[in-house]
Amino acid sequence: MRSGKLSDVELNENVLSLLGKRRKEVLLGAGIGIDCAVLNIDGDLLMTSDPITAKCRAPGSLAIDINANDIYASLGEPIAAEIIILAPISSSTSVIKSIMEDAERRASELNIDIVGGHTEFTDAVSREIVMVTMVGRKIKKLPFNKPKEGDSIIVTKYAAIETSLILAGRMAFDELNSLLTTEELNILGNLGDMLSIKKEAQIILNSEVGAVHDVTEGGIFGAVREMCQGGGFGCIIDENKVPVLTLTKKLCDKFNINPLKSVSSGSMILTASEPEKIIKAFKRKGVSACVIGKITDNKKIIGAGGEEIVNSEKDEIYKIN
């Protein structure tokens, strides 16, 4: 049992020595005695912050993905991240090192530098909490939240990708093997690669779209609600058209969770007047996408049955916390 920050030796061994330097925009990165990173970024600056509080198998890479996705969804390029890890007093430096290795691996894949942060053991938490602040550069300016009545609403990939990984991480190996088929277990093993929306964002840069939003807490319904409320419009959503993997349905059924109302990092929703063009562009790059609804001007979210969808702001994933 211990509390407080890592020693300088521990910090260097378990955090600093793991970090690479990739970006020319980073003039000064993480180091002992360095209070602030120094960045030189031209153009409009994007900033975002999000934590990982749910218990999962790879919180480091997930924290990098969900913050990078915010920047990708704003049609920007993520550049640098700061990471804070709060660990319970029963944890160890090896756990922190594992989180940092996972975060650095994903940051390297996305060409992002981790430039600082904080690590601490504290009795204020009962499990490891990972928080990331990320900065990026705006690449293309769009009149966001400016769809027209009749525009289609498109979703990429599948609902509840992140939820599937979190729920699977809560199950014992034998229990998971008995629930899912061999094929589904293989798909589950590759779901982590679907958590980034970088491909989608790169395609959208060269496409005509209206509103763009990544799907995080609250799931598909939550993202649609936020998009409509933020833009002052409504929509009709056919929930039966939202793609959900069979393995996701099995996991969500086991935990009594609605996959359309649970955290879904890895998916993006957007609006377009010519959906076929952008769906074809997605598919050429290996990204599945489909139309799930249409924009209306009545400022309500209506389901396929004609009734208004009421979506709680609390994500269904919290049922298991």
Side-chain angles (χ1 to χ4, degrees), residues 8-300:
D8 288 352
V9 173
E10 290 173 328
L11 184 63
N12 186 62
E13 180 180 344
N14 298 284
V15 178
L16 297 177
S17 65
L18 307 177
L19 304 181
K21 170 71 167 66
R22 290 169 286 275
R23 306 289 312 209
K24 62 180 178 57
E25 296 91 346
V26 177
L27 304 184
L28 182 64
I32 294 172
I34 297 175
D35 292 323
C36 293
V38 181
L39 309 180
N40 182 9
I41 300 176
D42 296 328
D44 293 344
L45 184 69
L46 299 172
M47 292 189 68
T48 186
S49 294
D50 260 318
I52 298 298
T53 57
K55 183 179 179 181
C56 60
R57 289 177 176 169
S61 58
L62 183 55
I64 294 296
D65 268 323
I66 66 171
N67 283 277
N69 283 351
D70 284 343
I71 292 177
Y72 290 135
S74 300
L75 299 190
E77 175 191 19
I79 291 171
E82 293 216 338
I83 185 167
I84 295 175
I85 302 174
L86 300 179
I89 58 176
S90 59
S91 190
S92 66
T93 54
S94 64
V95 173
I96 289 177
K97 183 175 184 179
S98 176
I99 292 172
M100 286 303 306
E101 287 175 335
D102 183 43
E104 170 63 12
R105 174 191 59 78
R106 193 59 171 148
S108 176
E109 291 171 350
L110 297 176
N111 194 29
I112 299 167
D113 277 8
I114 298 176
V115 298
H118 179 80
T119 51
E120 180 181 339
F121 296 97
T122 172
D123 60 7
V125 298
S126 59
R127 61 171 173 261
E128 288 75 22
I129 304 298
V130 182
M131 296 170 280
V132 165
T133 296
M134 193 171 290
V135 297
R137 177 195 299 110
K138 190 80 169 177
I139 296 177
K140 181 178 179 180
K141 293 183 179 180
L142 282 179
F144 283 116
N145 288 331
K146 296 295 182 182
K148 304 182 294 296
E149 183 178 3
D151 279 3
S152 295
I153 299 173
I154 299 166
V155 64
T156 66
K157 298 173 185 164
Y158 307 97
I161 295 172
E162 184 180 352
T163 291
S164 300
L165 292 168
I166 292 173
L167 296 182
R170 293 299 186 92
M171 297 178 65
F173 181 78
D174 290 343
E175 187 181 18
L176 189 60
N177 277 358
S178 65
L179 178 68
L180 303 180
T181 66
T182 300
E183 182 181 1
E184 289 165 351
L185 288 169
N186 289 334
I187 295 172
L188 178 66
N190 293 317
L191 279 190
D193 296 333
M194 291 189 185
L195 287 173
S196 175
I197 60 169
K198 183 177 182 178
K199 277 188 180 180
E200 290 97 310
Q202 290 173 334
I203 294 165
I204 289 172
L205 287 172
N206 299 308
S207 304
E208 294 297 324
V209 299
V212 180
H213 195 31
D214 67 321
V215 186
T216 53
E217 191 164 326
I220 298 294
F221 281 176
V224 169
R225 175 181 54 80
E226 289 173 352
M227 185 178 70
C228 289
Q229 288 182 350
F233 49 83
C235 67
I236 298 174
I237 291 291
D238 187 345
E239 52 268 42
N240 299 313
K241 292 184 178 179
V242 179
V244 184
L245 290 167
T246 302
L247 71 88
T248 299
K249 293 177 182 178
K250 288 182 178 181
L251 288 166
C252 287
D253 285 347
K254 181 173 179 59
F255 287 90
N256 191 30
I257 285 175
N258 184 338
L260 304 188
K261 297 182 179 181
S262 192
V263 60
S264 295
S265 293
S267 298
M268 174 185 277
I269 57 171
L270 60 141
T271 66
S273 58
E274 298 181 282
E276 298 83 7
K277 288 184 178 180
I278 194 164
I279 288 174
K280 286 181 180 178
F282 281 141
K283 291 184 177 179
R284 281 196 296 269
K285 295 295 184 178
V287 178
S288 61
C290 66
V291 172
I292 62 170
K294 287 190 176 296
I295 296 297
T296 64
D297 62 358
N298 65 5
K299 298 186 179 181
K300 293 183 179 181

